Amino acid sequence: MASGLAWRCSARQIPLRLTAGVFFLNSGLSKRGADQATAEGLHQFAAATYPFLAKQDAQTFVRLLSAGELAIAATLLLPVVPAAVAGAVLTAFSVGTIGLYLRTPGMRQEGSLRPTEQGIALAKDVWLLGIGASLIAEGVDEHR
């Protein structure tokens, strides 16, 4: 125990949680003040793959995306959040971005999982899936 809080973050989790957490913190903060054109672009891109998002206003979508990314950052950066919880949150988000990669035309080379130049930005999110899965595995192991 430290300062009365039960620290749930082991030393081996710190690099994983910091790497992904700071990434999400930056991404969430960057989207907070998104202009209309940026909001519309992000919204259209997401709605093309996930049609249920089309009903939402672009600015509202980006505000919610920003808030979600900041919540993910907090989950990863706060050491009192159990590894399995942080990993589940990160894994869920990364599955969504990998879905964008797999379902959006032009992101992958024809007949392959290999990214095109345009797809690299989303394909790289596979590292988030790996971090999330690692945190879940560690959390399950800690629970035993």
Side-chain angles (χ1 to χ4, degrees):
M1 278 215 229
S3 304
L5 292 176
W7 293 91
R8 297 181 183 251
C9 180
S10 70
R12 65 180 170 260
Q13 292 174 23
I14 293 171
L16 298 174
R17 292 175 78 142
L18 275 176
T19 302
V22 170
F23 176 84
F24 274 97
L25 181 62
N26 178 63
S27 186
L29 290 173
S30 296
K31 288 179 180 74
R32 281 178 85 185
D35 61 23
Q36 188 63 30
T38 300
E40 288 175 3
L42 288 169
H43 180 249
Q44 288 172 358
F45 182 68
T49 300
Y50 299 114
F52 69 91
L53 295 173
K55 298 175 187 170
Q56 195 160 53
D57 170 68
Q59 282 292 342
T60 301
F61 169 77
V62 172
R63 275 196 301 276
L64 290 172
L65 181 58
S66 171
E69 289 179 341
L70 292 171
I72 293 168
T75 300
L76 290 164
L77 295 172
L78 293 173
V80 296
V81 176
V85 172
V89 168
L90 182 57
T91 298
F93 186 90
S94 66
V95 165
T97 59
I98 291 170
L100 283 170
Y101 170 70
L102 293 173
R103 297 175 64 191
T104 303
M107 296 291 116
R108 296 180 293 122
Q109 294 178 16
E110 189 69 35
S112 173
L113 288 176
R114 294 181 62 208
T116 61
E117 193 67 33
Q118 297 79 21
I120 290 174
L122 286 174
K124 58 115 181 95
D125 284 354
V126 73
W127 66 272
L128 296 172
L129 180 62
I131 291 172
S134 294
L135 289 171
I136 291 170
E138 177 148 343
V140 168
D141 191 43
E142 286 175 352
H143 186 65
R144 287 187 210 159

